[in-house]
Amino acid sequence: MLDLSRILAGPWCTQLLADLGADVVKVERPGTGDDTRAWGPPFAAGDDGTPSAESAYFLATNRGKRSVTIDFSVPKGQEIVRELAKTADVVIENLKFGDMRRYGLDYESLRALNPRLVYCSITGFGQTGPYRERAGYDFVIQAMGGLMSITGESDDSPGGGPQKCGVPIADIMTGMYATVAILSALHERQTSGKGQYVDMSLLDTQVGWLANHGLNYLVSGNPAKRWGNAHPNLCPYQSFPASDGYLIIAVGNDRQFQALCRVLSMSSAATDPRFTTNSARLTNRDSLVEQIKQRLRTRSRDTWLQGLEEAGVPAGPINTVAQALADPQVISRRMVLSMEHAMGAPVPQIANPIKFSRTVIEYLRPPPMLGEHTAEVLASIGLTDGTLEELHAAGVIHGPGQHLVDGN
């Protein structure tokens, strides 16, 4: 798999595919590499405890790959990429519309060399339409795609107003959809013998996973709005304050609501016709939520959580990132791991969440150092040491001051 992408959406896709066994060759700019290499602090510490040049952001999205530095904005670099593409199953890129065609590395050009190639382009707005030439950024896409209109407290509440998601979710979800698309195209190729082009757009993806909010609007005609930590279709389904902190209660059906009333000793609410069905609870949301709040404030969060768990009511604490990563369930599921890095010190990783019954996801390569595998990969397509040194001297495959052939 030839990975010409950078930042997040493309690298997220290729890291997932690397976890699943793909041999991913990540092509980076000589000297600087993927933009996210500089997105710090924090930077991982070396074996002597001092910060390295490996940013946590880069480490989060580039496990399992081999790094090759090639300047494919110049003809000699383009020749190398074309040679690599001849034997690749997949090429993925996320440059702006038209850039790859200008370099002679677009799908049509590479398909002529490799008809079985699956080629995935990720852009902000896709290859067609009036916005296709615009640059796409996650924050902008969250705004344009409707997500921020349904995220955050309502305008009439304290701190109200549109909010972005705490993680760059448009990028991440585009990477996930791109993974599905690539695997589907590879599966189809087994029958047709042909590759194909995959056109992925951040805006398409964001609109595509508006899910129930999108259909709520299309079915009812009522504009979606921000509910804070509440749910537009379920009640009670939100955060609540206990005497010493917040918890989440997520009632998904009437049986769970009856169990909640028993835990909270709210027998009158359990038989009140305003609350006995979910539709009724939505109509009378404010009254019900206020009664629950008053009751929950009388005891500690953990006391309530224990009772809710015993009664089968979905509930949980609002953890910090540190608390989530230290949670016994997360630890039991081995969601945090460590990998020995080429800089001489281990680096932490968050594991792939996929669990198979027969096969095991193997983490064979830590996130690479810039250009770590340039000599190895380019030698595999027949470039000699002498040619590599010439390309290095010309700045095509390595930045100034970096020796190539011996890998240092």
Side-chain angles (χ1 to χ4, degrees):
M1 182 167 189
L2 192 57
D3 182 5
L4 308 179
S5 69
R6 71 257 188 252
I7 313 294
L8 184 54
W12 194 261
C13 167
T14 53
Q15 177 171 269
L16 175 52
L17 290 168
D19 285 347
L20 297 175
D23 178 10
V24 178
V25 174
K26 181 179 179 68
V27 177
E28 302 188 67
R29 288 188 299 264
T32 56
D34 190 311
D35 302 56
T36 61
R37 287 186 179 273
W39 287 13
F43 294 94
D47 56 357
D48 61 355
T50 59
S52 70
E54 307 300 311
S55 74
Y57 201 114
F58 179 85
L59 295 173
T61 59
N62 288 285
R63 174 179 63 236
K65 307 174 189 180
R66 295 189 285 171
S67 172
V68 176
T69 51
I70 304 172
D71 181 1
F72 58 80
S73 68
V74 299
K76 288 185 177 179
Q78 293 158 14
E79 291 176 13
I80 297 171
V81 173
R82 280 192 282 270
E83 196 64 30
L84 289 168
K86 286 181 181 179
T87 56
D89 291 293
V90 179
V91 168
I92 183 169
E93 59 87 14
N94 62 351
L95 274 69
K96 290 189 296 184
F97 171 81
D99 281 357
M100 299 304 286
R101 182 174 296 109
R102 187 165 62 252
Y103 298 145
L105 300 175
D106 56 298
Y107 173 60
E108 295 300 330
S109 298
L110 297 186
R111 181 177 67 167
L113 304 173
N114 181 358
R116 290 174 56 82
L117 184 67
V118 173
Y119 189 115
C120 178
S121 292
I122 297 176
T123 57
F125 300 95
Q127 302 296 310
T128 60
Y131 301 162
R132 66 181 184 175
E133 296 188 18
R134 294 187 188 180
Y137 294 89
D138 176 274
F139 192 10
V140 175
I141 298 301
Q142 288 195 37
M144 293 182 66
L147 180 61
M148 291 179 64
S149 75
I150 56 174
T151 304
E153 296 293 340
S154 61
D155 290 334
D156 57 356
S157 299
Q163 291 287 322
K164 68 180 180 65
C165 182
V167 295
I169 193 65
D171 275 336
I172 289 173
M173 287 300 294
T174 303
M176 295 288 287
Y177 274 98
T179 301
V180 174
I182 288 168
L183 292 176
S184 298
L186 290 171
H187 182 71
E188 190 276 340
R189 190 181 71 174
Q190 293 180 334
T191 301
S192 68
K194 299 177 182 179
Q196 59 182 306
Y197 184 70
V198 179
D199 174 11
M200 294 298 307
S201 155
L202 269 68
L203 182 60
D204 290 353
T205 300
Q206 178 56 71
V207 170
W209 68 272
L210 285 173
N212 58 300
H213 290 278
L215 264 292
N216 284 349
Y217 167 71
L218 290 174
V219 168
S220 70
N222 297 322
K225 68 175 188 176
R226 291 183 298 279
W227 288 93
N229 287 331
H231 194 290
N233 300 109
L234 294 169
C235 181
Y237 198 104
Q238 65 184 76
S239 61
F240 291 96
S243 65
D244 61 348
Y246 281 83
L247 70 155
I248 297 293
I249 293 176
V251 168
N253 55 52
D254 296 337
R255 177 187 56 78
Q256 291 173 354
F257 177 69
Q258 294 297 317
L260 172 67
C261 290
R262 288 193 294 272
V263 173
L264 301 185
S265 299
M266 293 175 54
S267 56
S268 60
T271 57
D272 190 325
R274 295 177 301 163
F275 308 138
T276 50
T277 67
N278 183 66
S279 295
R281 292 193 293 276
L282 288 172
T283 301
N284 300 282
R285 182 196 299 264
D286 291 344
S287 175
L288 176 60
V289 166
E290 185 56 36
Q291 291 184 44
I292 294 173
K293 284 182 177 179
Q294 291 180 11
R295 187 71 187 117
L296 288 172
R297 288 192 184 103
T298 64
R299 295 182 184 176
S300 70
R301 183 191 70 174
D302 290 348
T303 298
W304 287 123
L305 287 174
Q306 181 178 348
L308 292 167
E309 180 177 355
E310 292 172 354
V313 178
I318 299 177
N319 286 334
T320 64
V321 171
Q323 289 169 332
L325 295 178
D327 187 281
Q329 179 69 15
V330 173
I331 293 172
S332 173
R333 299 283 287 177
R334 299 181 180 178
M335 285 303 300
V336 179
L337 58 98
S338 180
M339 300 184 74
E340 287 297 323
H341 194 271
M343 67 182 175
V347 295
Q349 293 281 284
I350 295 178
N352 191 307
I354 297 172
K355 306 289 193 294
F356 291 112
S357 65
R358 290 190 298 102
T359 54
V360 177
I361 289 179
E362 297 182 277
Y363 304 103
L364 301 178
R365 297 181 185 274
M369 298 185 75
L370 179 60
E372 181 181 341
H373 306 96
T374 303
E376 171 189 317
V377 171
L378 298 189
S380 72
I381 58 171
L383 274 64
T384 65
D385 287 355
T387 301
L388 294 176
E389 288 288 13
E390 290 175 6
L391 292 168
H392 169 238
V396 176
I397 58 175
H398 245 254
Q402 293 174 301
H403 187 59
L404 175 68
V405 175
D406 66 6
N408 294 324

